[in-house]
């Protein structure tokens, strides 16, 4: 029960091992922002270019972030961002795709 008495002295909000992880934190934040943009803009048919590209980039940053993540908190945010990016990407593809209407 000694672990229950230790204070949480993490270096950042997402690091639970006491060391800072600036690259992982940045990838988590970028993935969450891109996921939110992709998910929200996917609800509008005319914004399919933005939703599909934001979703595609969000999937890429989230996958790389998961590959190098070190803590469970980082992975939690990355999974949320990846899910939103995936939904936004696929709805953007269904509404016109990455280059729909440009050619």
């Amino acid at each position: 029960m000694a672990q229950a008495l230790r204070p949480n002295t993490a270096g950042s909000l997402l690091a639970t091992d006491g060391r800072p992880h600036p690259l992982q934190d940045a990838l988590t934040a970028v993935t969450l922002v891109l996921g939110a943009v992709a998910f929200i803009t996917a609800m509008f048919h005319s914004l399919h270019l933005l939703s599909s590209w934001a979703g595609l980039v969000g999937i890429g940053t989230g996958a790389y972030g998961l590959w190098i993540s070190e803590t469970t908190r980082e992975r939690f945010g990355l999974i949320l961002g990846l899910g939103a990016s995936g939904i936004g990407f696929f709805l953007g593809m269904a509404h016109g795709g990455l280059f729909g209407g440009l050619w």
Side-chain angles (χ1 to χ4, degrees):
M1 238 9 202
Q3 68 271 18
L5 300 175
R6 277 187 282 181
N8 187 6
T9 59
S12 73
L13 179 64
L14 301 175
T16 56
D17 59 355
R19 293 179 298 165
H21 303 125
L23 177 61
Q24 289 87 345
D25 294 346
L27 286 171
T28 301
V30 168
T31 303
L32 284 169
V33 168
L34 287 171
V37 168
F39 184 78
I40 291 168
T41 57
M43 304 305 160
F44 305 98
H45 293 281
S46 61
L47 296 177
H48 63 87
L49 290 173
L50 180 59
S51 65
S52 58
W53 280 106
L56 184 63
V57 174
I59 289 170
T61 58
Y64 182 67
L66 278 175
W67 186 41
I68 65 169
S69 67
E70 296 183 14
T71 64
T72 303
R73 288 185 187 175
E74 293 165 355
R75 292 182 190 113
F76 180 76
L78 287 165
I79 290 295
L80 288 178
L82 267 170
S85 294
I87 290 171
F89 173 70
F90 288 126
L91 285 176
M93 292 300 286
H95 293 159
L98 296 169
F99 302 107
L102 293 180
W103 304 53

